[in-house]
Amino acid sequence: MQTSKSTRIFSLVIVIAFCIVMPTIGYINIGLPPVIIVGGSAIVGFLFWYFTYLKNPTDPKIILPLFLLTVAGLQIHIIEEYETGFAPAMSRLFEIPWTERSFLLVFALVGPTVYTLTSLGLYYRVPLAGFIAWFIFIGPGVAEFTHYVFPLLTPSLEPGNVSDITQTIHGVEVANMPNYYYKTTGNYYFSGMWTAFLPMIPGIYSIYRLMKEHRLQAE
């Protein structure tokens, strides 16, 4: 069942606005890393969504289980990130004002609400839900590999100090920022690294499966 032209245009306007507004908000409130990670994932997700889902939404029996598995892996991954101070660690790494409170607000409260509504939208083949799904497959799916790179990057704040620090960054106090720099700790680890593969595996498989389904539909 094809999406009507008016619905496609409306969905395009909303998604393009999302791809512009969300990275901009992230840049204003946190800094450049959210623009690179969130903005990059949004643009790549937009391209996949535009050419696969927008005109001909994927059968819910195919995309919905893939989305739910990826989100389930993501939520388990977020538990490890919370327990090991992912947001403060990122703040120390890039000198950005990302507090634990804002992390919880976005990923533990707003996120699950969006995932629930997206699941409902995928069931009813709503184009906007398809974009959110593709964004999740690309972002928390593929982009989680960055967790394995972060321990190698020199932190912007006190890279040689192994202890947690508290500092005011751009007017925001960020408490208990851990240091996961490999050369300082001698331990190759960064917050969330052990469970990063949980959303990656279904996320990457989802891209393969959905592209295969798209090719079959085009034949």
Side-chain angles (χ1 to χ4, degrees):
M1 182 177 67
Q2 289 193 352
T3 306
S4 67
K5 185 176 180 179
S6 59
T7 301
R8 293 202 301 269
I9 293 173
F10 173 78
S11 300
L12 272 172
V13 171
I14 297 299
V15 169
I16 290 173
F18 175 89
C19 291
I20 296 173
V21 172
M22 292 307 295
T24 301
I25 292 174
Y27 176 75
I28 292 172
N29 289 280
I30 299 178
L32 187 58
V35 176
I36 298 173
I37 297 173
V38 176
S41 299
I43 291 172
V44 176
F46 170 82
L47 294 174
F48 276 104
W49 168 76
Y50 180 83
F51 290 106
T52 64
Y53 195 96
L54 178 59
K55 187 175 181 180
N56 293 296
T58 308
D59 187 338
K61 290 186 294 185
I62 296 173
I63 192 172
L64 185 53
L66 296 173
F67 175 73
L68 292 175
L69 283 172
T70 305
V71 167
L74 175 61
Q75 291 303 107
I76 295 172
H77 171 59
I78 288 172
I79 293 173
E80 182 192 356
E81 288 186 328
Y82 169 70
E83 289 292 332
T84 53
F86 178 75
M90 290 288 283
S91 295
R92 185 167 184 172
L93 185 60
F94 295 110
E95 196 173 355
I96 56 176
W98 194 4
T99 64
E100 191 172 85
R101 180 181 181 277
S102 61
F103 174 84
L104 287 174
L105 181 64
V106 173
F107 291 102
L109 299 176
V110 175
T113 303
V114 173
Y115 307 149
T116 302
L117 293 175
T118 299
S119 299
L120 185 63
L122 291 174
Y123 180 80
Y124 287 106
R125 305 185 188 220
V126 177
L128 291 176
F131 168 73
I132 297 298
W134 270 107
F135 174 72
I136 295 298
F137 297 146
I138 299 297
V142 178
E144 292 293 346
F145 80 89
T146 53
H147 283 71
Y148 303 99
V149 177
F150 290 150
L152 303 175
L153 303 181
T154 305
S156 297
L157 301 174
E158 300 186 28
N161 181 2
V162 72
S163 302
D164 293 1
I165 61 174
T166 297
Q167 286 191 19
T168 298
I169 304 174
H170 305 310
V172 178
E173 184 181 274
V174 184
N176 303 318
M177 292 183 283
N179 186 0
Y180 290 112
Y181 186 33
Y182 174 70
K183 289 185 177 180
T184 298
T185 65
N187 182 28
Y188 187 76
Y189 175 78
F190 193 87
S191 174
M193 194 176 80
W194 296 129
T195 54
F197 71 92
L198 291 177
M200 280 182 67
I201 292 175
I204 293 172
Y205 174 74
S206 297
I207 297 170
Y208 162 77
R209 179 68 179 86
L210 294 173
M211 291 305 298
K212 180 180 179 180
E213 180 66 19
H214 175 67
R215 288 193 295 269
L216 290 175
Q217 288 181 352
E219 292 178 354

